[in-house]
Amino acid sequence: GMDSPITDELHKEHQRHSSSGVENDHSEGSGKHADGEQERPQGPEGTEANGKIPNRDSGIDSPSCGAEGEGFPNEDPIEEEDRNDSIATETESCVTGGNKRDSTQDEDSDLDEGKEEEEEMYLSLTLSNLSLLKLLNIAKELLQTEEAYVKRLNLLDQVFCARLTEASIPAEVITGIFSNISSIYLFHQQFLLPELQTRITQEWSCNPRIGDILQKLAPFLKMYGEYVKNFDRAMELVSTWTQRSAQFKSVVQSIQKQEVCGNLTLQHHMLEPVQRIPRYELLLKDYLKKLPDGAADHRDAQNALELISTAANHSNAAIRKMEKMHKLLEVYEKLGGEEDIVNPANEFIKEGHIKKMSAKNGTAQDRYLYLFNNMVLYCVPKLRLMGQKFSVRERIDIAGMEVQENVKQNVPHTFTIIGKQRSLELQARTAEEKDDWIKVILATIEKHKQNSETFKAFNISFSRDDEHTPDTPGPWISTSTCEADGAQHERKSSKKREKEKETCRGCSEAFHFTKRKHHCKICGAAVCGKCSKVSESRNSRMCKPCFEVLQGAEGTAGGGIEPKRKLEKQLSVAQSSQRTGKVEELDQELGGHH
């Protein structure tokens, strides 16, 4: 579903340019490269076999590096310039128009007119040739990366999106994941790429510039704003649907196995549009540096850069968040996709092999620890499964955790983690390793405390009641407290009520743009993703207590008539209480289940 103004705009642009032969190029598309691009799978960033293009990516291990991570780091501009210089001197005479070459030859024939003058002339020609060549190289890089980018957009829109639609995944999920990717794809494929191809492969000798074309890109950057804004949610949807829908998972995996995917996940490909805008920015900055003063293209290129830079800032922020998500994805895959790890609120901190001391007989077994901002995952290595490296034995919350150094004569480098769920006596390989674990875990506990203190202080400033709450309340309050709460609701100031709307009923954490607010379909309570469950049978999200009641009722007597009636009664009460805004009725109705 594309917004019609964009389509109209595209068609107008298209007609305006098709007369100038924009399209004749389009059919062969990228087949025009001498590098034999068609034969070898192309690196997504347009890095060809000869590796000419330095990788100007925006921070993430770019797909162009391949698994081994080769490709040129962007810290090396000098090397690139040297390489260009050597090309330049070989080709300098043929790049500039023929008439300049003649003048150099005339000069050569008149040697006695003074060598100095001639050398100066030659030098200035060489320099201008060099800068022209550098500009052409930047233009070529723009074109090659644009061709690769359009292929990637095609993969997202015409392959992933199309196949998932055919697999009858709900339309709102598809829109949630792919956002406005089809508009972005159409714009690049029908308008920007053909214009660049015509300009750079055919018209460059008489019209060597790209600023004017890129300036026309600017109004379409609004589309990217929408894509970047939706990006977090899209990532979340991919991971939840991969977990919940076998159909979704198999379609995605079958596409990921194809060569066109280059061993990269759907999430990796979805990142491409977010990375594209900072790439334009870098190329344009480079182009402007190399443009001679007073060049005709200066004003257009400068305008384009200003507009593109603003958009690139938004993209860069999203990319930084994405780097964190990539790590979470990686851990998620290593753990076989079981745990709730790919959540923007989670932050990966440290991982490593460790030995677990057995209390019974003093032997040590190999284990693996993952430390996050809110939990430690204590894992057992797995040998039999291909992708999965570890299985999670225990999840220990950072809240209420302590860590102690042990001093034992016979067993060196040991320390103990004492957590709400369980305690572990662990042994590191070296003293440094032990100290590092202890230091990092202590810092994580401290940071977690500060965050919850800030949060508590924030709550207390609204109401005195909270002073009586225990330090680490369990995730769910007992029914009696719920009822008492209900009774107080009426008395609380509107400010307090506002505040409560913005915190999760389960874990009491505030909602923000990565911790999304969901409403329980039964009691209407605001809960975060972690404190809610999706009921397969009803295909709706609910808070855990309601979910448990529902499970209990559906499970009893093989879901006989009695429990079904009871449940219907509970649900209808829930709906009416949602309408009247009274949560207490339901709390009494569901009494004892919390």
Side-chain angles (χ1 to χ4, degrees):
M2 235 180 104
D3 342 9
S4 51
I6 291 176
T7 328
D8 302 344
E9 192 91 10
L10 285 173
H11 284 312
K12 268 183 240 150
E13 284 293 354
H14 205 28
Q15 276 144 19
R16 210 180 320 150
H17 296 286
S18 41
S19 52
S20 63
V22 169
E23 283 193 291
N24 45 9
D25 212 46
H26 189 42
S27 52
E28 292 103 271
S30 49
K32 285 206 179 312
H33 282 306
D35 297 67
E37 180 183 318
Q38 246 35 28
E39 287 86 70
R40 56 191 307 277
Q42 181 179 6
E45 297 297 333
T47 320
E48 304 301 344
N50 57 17
K52 284 246 176 57
I53 299 168
N55 176 9
R56 282 167 210 273
D57 230 307
S58 25
I60 286 192
D61 287 350
S62 106
S64 60
C65 301
E68 303 76 42
E70 68 246 345
F72 296 94
N74 21 359
E75 291 87 61
D76 253 48
I78 306 108
E79 213 174 81
E80 181 195 341
E81 306 223 342
D82 294 348
R83 210 177 319 122
N84 289 350
D85 285 359
S86 59
I87 307 169
T89 33
E90 292 159 32
T91 48
E92 120 242 333
S93 48
C94 52
V95 172
T96 32
N99 45 359
K100 280 192 182 161
R101 202 180 310 133
D102 297 343
S103 68
T104 324
Q105 282 158 358
D106 296 349
E107 216 90 71
D108 281 350
S109 57
D110 277 335
L111 277 176
D112 26 318
E113 279 210 10
K115 223 171 172 89
E116 274 175 34
E117 201 177 308
E118 177 242 320
E119 271 172 9
E120 244 169 64
M121 180 83 167
Y122 183 75
L123 194 67
S124 69
L125 270 177
T126 313
L127 285 173
S128 72
N129 287 359
L130 234 172
S131 70
L132 283 170
L133 188 79
K134 280 180 179 168
L135 291 173
L136 177 60
N137 280 344
I138 293 168
K140 278 185 174 162
E141 180 177 350
L142 174 65
L143 177 60
Q144 284 176 346
T145 55
E146 186 71 15
E147 282 166 348
Y149 178 50
V150 167
K151 281 184 192 157
R152 186 76 65 96
L153 292 174
N154 180 294
L155 176 67
L156 281 170
D157 185 47
Q158 304 290 305
V159 184
F160 278 112
C161 186
R163 292 268 300 280
L164 286 166
T165 309
E166 283 161 24
S168 57
I169 300 295
E172 63 274 19
V173 176
I174 305 264
T175 320
I177 291 173
F178 295 98
S179 185
N180 56 344
I181 200 75
S182 54
S183 312
I184 293 174
Y185 170 57
L186 276 173
F187 165 69
H188 286 270
Q189 182 238 4
Q190 294 185 4
F191 167 50
L192 192 63
L193 178 62
E195 283 226 354
L196 289 171
Q197 280 170 332
T198 308
R199 173 68 53 83
I200 294 160
T201 58
Q202 293 168 28
E203 309 167 347
W204 193 259
S205 51
C206 55
N207 191 7
R209 59 196 195 140
I210 53 174
D212 57 335
I213 295 178
L214 286 178
Q215 195 183 1
K216 284 185 280 191
L217 160 77
F220 293 97
L221 290 175
K222 286 194 201 79
M223 297 192 293
Y224 278 90
E226 190 179 321
Y227 185 85
V228 170
K229 209 163 55 202
N230 183 61
F231 188 66
D232 257 5
R233 184 167 154 257
M235 284 294 169
E236 234 167 86
L237 275 170
V238 173
S239 68
T240 45
W241 274 79
T242 307
Q243 286 169 66
R244 291 198 192 126
S245 156
Q247 173 77 333
F248 183 93
K249 190 175 182 171
S250 74
V251 170
V252 169
Q253 285 181 343
S254 70
I255 299 171
Q256 284 174 175
K257 285 192 187 98
Q258 293 171 23
E259 201 174 312
V260 65
C261 262
N263 287 329
L264 297 169
T265 56
L266 166 59
Q267 278 107 326
H268 213 130
H269 294 293
M270 285 164 63
L271 185 57
E272 194 72 5
V274 184
Q275 287 175 307
R276 187 62 184 151
I277 302 293
R279 186 97 193 244
Y280 288 131
E281 183 187 32
L282 284 169
L283 282 165
L284 253 176
K285 278 182 176 164
D286 210 9
Y287 178 76
L288 270 162
K289 261 190 237 142
K290 310 261 191 302
L291 259 189
D293 296 335
D297 203 21
H298 215 284
R299 208 182 73 217
D300 286 342
Q302 192 57 56
N303 286 347
L305 179 62
E306 276 159 30
L307 296 158
I308 288 171
S309 289
T310 319
N313 289 339
H314 296 297
S315 279
N316 280 325
I319 288 168
R320 277 193 295 278
K321 269 210 312 245
M322 198 43 218
E323 287 174 299
K324 289 182 181 170
M325 289 289 278
H326 261 303
K327 184 61 198 178
L328 296 178
L329 266 171
E330 199 182 288
V331 177
Y332 174 75
E333 279 157 16
K334 278 186 188 162
L335 298 179
E338 293 307 308
E339 293 292 311
D340 173 23
I341 288 170
V342 190
N343 179 326
N346 291 349
E347 201 173 312
F348 166 82
I349 295 169
K350 182 175 165 66
E351 65 182 310
H353 287 279
I354 200 110
K355 292 245 193 274
K356 159 78 172 71
M357 309 305 294
S358 160
K360 285 190 213 96
N361 51 14
T363 56
Q365 302 113 348
D366 278 317
R367 294 294 181 257
Y368 201 83
L369 279 192
Y370 281 106
L371 172 66
F372 293 88
N373 57 339
N374 53 358
M375 61 181 170
V376 167
L377 297 180
Y378 164 66
C379 311
V380 183
K382 272 207 160 171
L383 298 172
R384 50 187 190 281
L385 294 176
M386 289 263 301
Q388 186 179 350
K389 297 274 199 309
F390 307 102
S391 65
V392 177
R393 200 35 86 74
E394 196 73 60
R395 173 189 168 141
I396 305 173
D397 294 338
I398 294 291
M401 182 186 285
E402 292 174 42
V403 60
Q404 288 174 0
E405 184 167 358
N406 302 353
V407 185
K408 289 196 174 180
Q409 258 38 66
N410 51 348
V411 193
H413 321 316
T414 58
F415 62 100
T416 305
I417 289 176
I418 302 152
K420 277 197 298 198
Q421 286 77 2
R422 69 170 281 187
S423 299
L424 302 168
E425 191 180 344
L426 303 168
Q427 181 184 24
R429 284 177 286 202
T430 64
E432 294 83 51
E433 221 173 79
K434 177 189 78 169
D435 294 343
D436 194 48
W437 271 114
I438 292 175
K439 193 178 80 198
V440 174
I441 294 172
L442 281 171
T444 308
I445 294 171
E446 191 45 45
K447 192 169 176 200
H448 192 276
K449 267 190 198 144
Q450 280 171 2
N451 289 348
S452 42
E453 283 305 307
T454 316
F455 189 75
K456 234 184 245 170
F458 194 45
N459 271 355
I460 289 170
S461 67
F462 281 117
S463 118
R464 294 271 169 79
D465 310 348
D466 294 22
E467 283 168 11
H468 307 302
T469 53
D471 274 348
T472 50
W476 294 102
I477 314 155
S478 71
T479 316
S480 55
T481 6
C482 282
E483 285 167 16
D485 263 340
Q488 288 166 9
H489 266 262
E490 268 49 48
R491 295 199 301 274
K492 283 181 187 168
S493 68
S494 57
K495 225 181 195 182
K496 170 79 181 166
R497 210 172 295 150
E498 268 316 302
K499 182 77 216 88
E500 283 197 340
K501 267 189 206 157
E502 297 314 308
T503 61
C504 168
R505 167 80 80 83
C507 57
S508 304
E509 287 184 30
F511 298 111
H512 43 87
F513 66 104
T514 56
K515 191 178 186 74
R516 288 218 152 62
K517 177 158 65 174
H518 301 285
H519 287 286
C520 168
K521 283 287 181 296
I522 292 186
C523 70
V527 282
C528 67
K530 275 194 178 158
C531 298
S532 61
K533 292 265 192 194
V534 171
S535 153
E536 297 290 345
S537 58
R538 310 183 64 83
N539 193 17
S540 59
R541 189 185 283 273
M542 46 194 76
C543 67
K544 283 180 184 164
C546 292
F547 180 77
E548 277 152 25
V549 174
L550 181 72
Q551 292 297 87
E554 285 180 346
T556 331
I561 292 173
E562 237 352 271
K564 205 165 181 207
R565 286 215 182 111
K566 187 173 169 217
L567 182 72
E568 276 164 9
K569 184 169 178 240
Q570 287 174 357
L571 294 180
S572 67
V573 171
Q575 255 108 46
S576 71
S577 75
Q578 229 173 320
R579 278 193 292 275
T580 57
K582 286 186 196 146
V583 183
E584 307 95 274
E585 274 181 45
L586 181 80
D587 282 331
Q588 284 149 14
E589 184 64 33
L590 299 180
H593 288 290
H594 281 241

